Amino acid sequence: MDAGKKVWAPDLKEGFVLGEITDFGTDVLTVQPLNGGKPIEAPYDAVYPSEEEGAKTVDDNCGLMFLNEATLLHNMRRRFMEDEVYTYTANILLAVNPYHSLDLYGPKQVQAYQGKSLGVLPPHVYAISDKAYRDMRNLGLSQGIIVSGESGAGKTEAAKLFVRHLITVSKGTEFEGLEKRLVQVNPLLEAFGNAQTLMNDNSSRFGKYSRLLFDSDYKVMGVQISEYLLEKSRVVEQKEGERSFHVFYYLFASPEAKSLYGLSEPKNYNSLGGGLWHDNSAMYEDLLRSLDEVGFTAEEKKAMHAMLAATIHLSNIQFEGDEEAQIKDSSLDAVKHTARLLQLDEEQLRDSLTVLKTVTRGEHIRRKYKPDQSYDCRDAMAKAIYQRLFGWIVSKINVLLAPGLHTNKAARPGVAAVKAIPAYEIGVLDI
């Protein structure tokens, strides 16, 4: 790099700023930003050469004359300003969330990318999913797609696009209803798995692995979802400015539900940060429709509501004492509501939160918890209830999305019934 040459220098606010080299030191370069700011001193390995002035943007970052962090970001920024939110780096697709709708995902685009190699058409999620499907057919091997990024980057939406496109291009016997069923379960997964964070009002707080299952003719049979790393800690506490999982707040949308489950307002419960959104009632109605469409019975929905309300009341149980934990008198109502909703004996619940029971050589030993231990026990119980509830919901969703894997196929007389067995799969990991 020569004096006067345009380079990218590090900047805390912008990431990198374009400037000219004005001085060479022993360990640092001095760069004068072209925007007229103060000179920047940076180590040699933190300053990158820039593209020629007037250079066009490229679909693939590998087409840049100088491929480095600064030129990659600059190329993507220029493309983003023109609503070109996708860019390749070899066979990796980089996406920038536009935070508004784009007309990029209709039947026209599905048709255009079908059977096309990467790079023939502009970068697109459909190009990646189409390649995965073609590779599965041509190589006879299952495939995988990894969707990674920070909160708010659009991972969940990208994963949905991959799954829907793969269903569309494969068009198996389950095709007609499968897309509709995927739409039906989205409000359910978002209600129980998403929450408001500082970065994103609807952030997924769990990892999801979607397995698209195909028969030997490469036709889609169904979808199975595996959930992992659910952020259980959010059930009992959140950072300032964040909320717990959406579904807890939905309980406050119905006066009847509040009365039935002994609830008042979110601000009165220790586990609920933030308040109700203006569309809380509408989102609750979406959830109820989704529960009906997935196939939850009235009794199951009632039990689900009761467990959620019990988890809320559980957070209001407080303890006191020096060496031996005692439940505060002010928490007696919370104990009563929690025990009723979980169908537990009240004394049983008090014991489980304040007493450690062990059996040693046939001898039953009772040891009182300290207050800190009781708080840990209370929080662990709340998190365990919610995790079990979430796992049960996902298992019910899986039956809806791949009924052939959970029920026996009709068999001919004298021939044992068998379950459908997929030959291949394409996994979409949202992490």
Side-chain angles (χ1 to χ4, degrees), residues 250-264:
Y250 295 170
L251 295 182
F252 298 88
S254 165
E256 293 81 8
K258 288 170 65 175
S259 175
L260 181 61
Y261 301 114
L263 300 171
S264 54

Side-chain angles (χ1 to χ4, degrees), residues 308-423:
L308 291 169
T311 304
I312 294 173
H313 285 296
L314 189 58
S315 70
N316 272 21
I317 299 177
Q318 304 288 306
F319 305 92
E320 60 186 357
D322 295 325
E323 292 300 314
E324 295 187 352
Q326 301 289 334
I327 295 175
K328 291 183 179 181
D329 290 341
S330 58
S331 298
L332 294 182
D333 276 349
V335 173
K336 182 178 179 181
H337 284 305
T338 304
R340 174 177 64 86
L341 293 166
L342 293 178
Q343 299 182 20
L344 296 174
D345 178 75
E346 205 170 311
E347 193 58 37
Q348 225 178 9
L349 177 61
R350 295 167 69 95
D351 247 21
S352 66
L353 294 173
T354 57
V355 178
L356 172 65
K357 300 174 185 177
T358 58
V359 179
T360 304
R361 295 178 180 176
E363 182 181 359
H364 293 260
I365 301 173
R366 292 168 53 90
R367 185 182 303 118
K368 292 284 286 186
Y369 283 136
K370 295 180 180 179
D372 283 350
Q373 293 173 317
S374 283
Y375 280 115
D376 289 341
C377 180
R378 179 202 68 181
D379 290 348
M381 181 184 294
K383 289 185 282 188
I385 291 171
Y386 195 77
Q387 184 177 37
R388 291 291 186 92
L389 177 60
F390 189 68
W392 172 58
I393 289 169
V394 171
S395 68
K396 292 277 287 187
I397 288 173
N398 282 335
V399 174
L400 177 77
L401 296 181
L405 300 182
H406 299 272
T407 56
N408 288 338
K409 284 185 173 181
R412 299 191 308 275
V415 178
V418 293
K419 290 185 178 180
I421 299 176

Side-chain angles (χ1 to χ4, degrees), residues 20-44:
E20 293 181 348
I21 299 174
T22 58
D23 188 40
F24 293 87
T26 305
D27 299 312
V28 297
L29 288 169
T30 302
V31 178
Q32 176 59 52
L34 298 183
N35 61 13
K38 293 181 179 179
I40 298 172
E41 289 189 348
Y44 279 77

Side-chain angles (χ1 to χ4, degrees), residues 231-249:
E231 191 183 21
K232 295 179 293 182
S233 60
R234 187 167 291 271
V235 174
V236 295
E237 61 179 347
Q238 308 91 43
K239 294 179 182 177
E240 185 72 27
E242 298 191 350
R243 302 201 320 167
S244 187
F245 294 100
H246 295 325
V247 70
F248 287 114
Y249 301 88

